Amino acid sequence: METRTAESPAHPAHRSGGGGADGGDASGPVRYRRNPDLLLEWQDEAGPVLVDCRRWRKFAARPRLLALLGLLDRPLTAEETHARWGDGGKAGEGSGEEGLAATRQALERLAAVGIIRSSAGPASAAQGLTPYELAAHARAGHGPAPHAQRGFPPPARLRHPEATETVRFAASDELPSRPLREVLAERRCVRDFAPAPLPLSHLGVFLARAARVRGSIGPLRFQQTQRPSPSGGGRHSLEAYVIAREVSGLAAGAYHYDPFDHTLNRLAPWDDELAALLDTTVTVPAYMEQPPPVSLLLASHAARTGWKYEGLALSLIYRDTGCLLQTLCLTATDLGLGACPTGTMRPTSGIAFLGRHHEELLHVGNLALGIPGPPGSGEAQEQGGG
C-alpha cells in the first residue's frame, strides 16, 4: 500500500471532502475535527504512519501534523486552530490574515484527503465499529501477507505436559441421534439447567461428535486436520478447555480436551479463582441465575492460522469460532442437552490453568452446557438472545 505524505495530499484542496465534523453547523463557521477512524502505527524504516481505517489509506505522520491532530479532538474553526497551532512551521506561518489563510488552506487540504473532517462536508454514516475493528476488517480484505507460509507451521496438537491426570472417554457412541431438520428447528439458547450433574458419558459423546480429530489433510508437514467444524485452511487453531463444576464421575476442575486422543487432561482443581472465571465469562454475561454444570472455554493458538494467513488470521479465527460454536450448539441439541454460547473474553495472562501456553493463546469464546431445566424455567432469560 502506498504511504502518502499527509501534509502534501495528492488531491486538490476543497472544503467538502472530509465529512461532517461532530458538533459542526453547516450554516455557521466551518469547523474541523480529527477523523475518528485514524490510528497511529509505526512501520519499519518509515516511522509513524497514520492509517485511515475506514478507507484503508496511509499517510506519513510528521510531528507538526500530530500536534495539530492532538488539538482537533473537538471541533475548532480555522481561527481557533490558528491561534493554537499557527506559531511557525509551514502551515500557519506568519501573522495576521496571511498566517490565517495558510492555516485554513492546510486544514482544507487535510480535509480533502480525509485526515480531518469539515462541517462543510457530508456527515459520515455511523457503523458502530471502533477504528481497531475497522482496521482488522480492512486488513483481512487484502489477503495474506507476502511472507506467509515461511518456515515450519506450528503443530496441530497442543500438549499440556503439566497435567496431573488423564481421563479417557469411552470409544463407543451409543447415544441416539436425530434428523438434522429436527435439530435445527429445536436449537435454542438454554440459560437454566437442571440441578443434576452432567453424565461423563454424555460429555464424551458431545466432544467426540463436535470436536474430535477425524484425520489429517495432506501434506502432513502442513499440520492440517479434518474435524466436524470447518476451519480456514484446515488450520483448526481452537483449543477447548472444559471447566467442570458438576460432572458425574469427574473431579471438579479445569481440563484440556485433546481431540487427537479423545481425552481430558486435568490442569487445575476447582477453587474460587475458577468459580470467578465461570461467573465472569458465562454466568453473568448470559444472565443465568445459577452457573452451568459445565462450560467450555475456547482459546485460539493463533500462530497455527497466522502461519498460513498472516494479515487476515484474526478474521479467520473469529469465523472459525462461530462455526465451532454452532457445531457445539447443534450437537448439544441433538443429545438433548442445553447450551448457551457467550462472547465475553479475558486476557489469557489471567487464566492460570493455561500455564506456559498463556502467551500463545487468545480467549475467543465460551459455551455453557448441561441438562436443560424444566420447560418454561428460563423463558425470562431467553429474551437476552436466541
Side-chain angles (χ1 to χ4, degrees):
M1 177 184 296
E2 177 186 1
T3 301
R4 300 176 183 171
T5 301
E7 293 166 315
S8 301
H11 302 292
H14 57 84
R15 297 180 62 189
S16 59
D22 295 347
D25 182 358
S27 63
V30 176
R31 296 181 182 275
Y32 302 89
R33 186 170 188 174
R34 180 181 65 243
N35 180 354
D37 297 329
L38 292 179
L39 286 180
L40 185 64
E41 69 175 32
W42 273 258
Q43 294 188 338
D44 294 341
E45 301 180 3
V49 173
L50 286 170
V51 182
D52 182 346
C53 299
R54 191 176 298 273
R55 299 170 181 84
W56 198 241
R57 294 185 296 181
K58 296 187 177 183
F59 305 90
R62 304 290 185 255
R64 184 161 174 75
L65 173 61
L66 297 179
L68 171 63
L69 296 177
L71 292 172
L72 295 179
D73 58 352
R74 59 189 180 90
L76 296 177
T77 64
E79 290 80 5
E80 292 169 332
T81 304
H82 180 69
R84 294 166 172 79
W85 179 70
D87 296 326
K90 294 180 180 179
E93 195 172 55
S95 59
E97 291 300 320
E98 180 182 353
L100 176 59
T103 296
R104 180 176 285 109
Q105 183 183 37
L107 292 171
E108 291 179 348
R109 289 168 66 85
L110 293 172
V113 295
I115 293 177
I116 65 176
R117 292 183 178 176
S118 162
S119 62
S124 297
Q127 288 186 331
L129 299 175
T130 69
Y132 298 99
E133 293 170 310
L134 289 170
H137 177 74
R139 180 60 189 87
H142 287 76
H147 56 269
Q149 299 191 48
R150 291 182 182 175
F152 295 98
R157 187 176 188 178
L158 186 71
R159 298 179 184 271
H160 279 275
E162 75 278 15
T164 58
E165 179 186 1
T166 297
V167 178
R168 298 190 177 276
F169 289 115
S172 62
D173 179 354
E174 300 177 353
L175 296 178
S177 184
R178 294 180 288 164
L180 177 61
R181 181 173 62 183
E182 293 182 11
V183 174
L184 288 170
E186 293 183 18
R187 191 219 64 81
R188 66 185 180 91
C189 287
V190 175
R191 294 176 171 81
D192 187 77
F193 298 94
L198 178 69
L200 182 60
S201 58
H202 283 60
L203 178 61
V205 172
F206 168 76
L207 291 170
R209 291 185 184 179
R212 190 173 184 179
V213 171
R214 295 173 172 174
S216 298
I217 303 172
L220 292 178
R221 65 184 179 86
F222 280 179
Q223 296 288 319
Q224 298 169 145
T225 56
Q226 186 178 50
R227 312 188 191 195
S229 180
S231 173
R235 303 309 301 159
H236 289 286
S237 75
L238 301 179
E239 299 290 332
Y241 291 87
V242 176
I243 300 178
R245 191 176 68 88
E246 287 186 298
V247 178
S248 59
L250 185 69
Y255 297 79
H256 173 245
Y257 175 63
D258 187 334
F260 288 82
D261 283 348
H262 191 41
T263 59
L264 291 179
N265 295 301
R266 183 173 169 82
L267 302 178
W270 188 265
D271 57 16
D272 291 342
E273 185 176 347
L274 208 54
L277 179 65
L278 180 59
D279 282 344
T280 57
T281 58
V282 175
T283 309
V284 174
Y287 302 99
M288 296 178 182
E289 294 184 358
Q290 299 293 330
V294 177
S295 75
L296 299 187
L297 184 147
L298 303 181
S300 168
H301 190 281
R304 250 181 241 157
T305 300
W307 174 80
K308 186 173 183 179
Y309 296 112
E310 181 179 346
L312 70 154
L314 184 62
S315 172
L316 291 176
I317 289 168
Y318 285 159
R319 294 179 223 184
D320 288 357
T321 302
C323 291
L324 178 56
L325 285 171
Q326 173 74 330
T327 302
L328 293 168
C329 287
L330 292 177
T331 303
T333 302
D334 184 35
L335 292 170
L337 301 176
C340 181
T342 72
T344 301
M345 298 178 286
R346 291 289 178 263
T348 51
S349 58
I351 304 176
F353 62 74
L354 297 179
R356 65 184 178 87
H357 290 300
H358 73 87
E359 292 187 354
E360 307 166 13
L361 298 172
L362 295 175
H363 181 195
V364 292
N366 317 277
L367 184 86
L369 184 70
I371 299 173
S377 60
E379 289 181 356
Q381 289 126 334
E382 185 67 20
Q383 296 175 3

